Amino acid sequence: MDYILFGAGEYGRRSITLLGKENIKMIFDNNPKKWDSFLEEIPVRNFYDEKDLLSDERIVVAVSPEKAEDIIKQLEDNGVTDYMDYEELVRQVTKEKIMSRPDYIGIYRKAISWKE
């Protein structure tokens, strides 16, 4: 799944680290000074110029908790409902990493049962 970040600041950088830049299609930001620039080689765009092109991407609201509410309202006011905030992204990525680890306890139990 491709992601679009909303926020080209510190939380945007953290989100790129978590997701990998190859999984991020673009970044939205409300700061006109950041439009038409790049963050980690990912284009930063104006949400209002690109919103009609959204399809299957999941939006990550990659801003501080204090700013997230305003961005979420902006998205919802424009009909965008498939999004997650940064905290949810961290929980999701952490869970995926944990679930992909080998089950060492299960392996140990099998080894003990073979010995018996």
Side-chain angles (χ1 to χ4, degrees):
M1 169 182 284
D2 283 336
Y3 291 89
I4 294 178
L5 304 183
F6 204 125
E10 179 59 31
Y11 284 82
R13 289 182 192 281
R14 293 178 189 178
S15 299
I16 293 169
T17 299
L18 288 170
L19 294 169
K21 64 183 173 184
E22 67 278 358
N23 296 312
I24 300 169
K25 184 175 179 179
M26 75 176 75
I27 303 170
F28 294 141
D29 201 282
N30 287 331
N31 182 346
K33 293 178 181 178
K34 294 183 179 181
W35 298 344
D36 299 320
S37 66
F38 293 86
L39 179 63
E40 303 284 334
E41 302 173 14
I42 303 166
V44 179
R45 302 286 185 252
N46 177 356
F47 170 73
Y48 294 105
D49 290 345
E50 305 287 337
K51 69 179 183 173
D52 295 332
L53 302 176
L54 296 175
S55 56
D56 296 332
E57 304 87 5
R58 182 111 192 252
I59 295 181
V60 176
V61 179
V63 297
S64 67
E66 297 80 28
K67 295 179 182 177
E69 188 175 320
D70 292 336
I71 301 299
I72 289 169
K73 183 178 181 341
Q74 180 181 353
L75 291 170
E76 290 178 349
D77 287 350
N78 285 278
V80 178
T81 57
D82 188 18
Y83 60 83
M84 72 173 89
D85 64 19
Y86 177 77
E87 307 265 331
E88 185 179 347
L89 173 66
V90 170
R91 284 190 299 273
Q92 176 184 314
V93 170
T94 302
K95 181 180 177 181
E96 288 171 2
K97 285 181 180 178
I98 290 170
M99 297 304 290
S100 68
R101 292 180 186 163
D103 178 14
Y104 291 114
I105 294 173
I107 294 168
Y108 174 78
R109 288 183 177 144
K110 283 183 183 179
I112 293 297
S113 70
W114 293 335
K115 187 176 178 187
E116 294 175 343

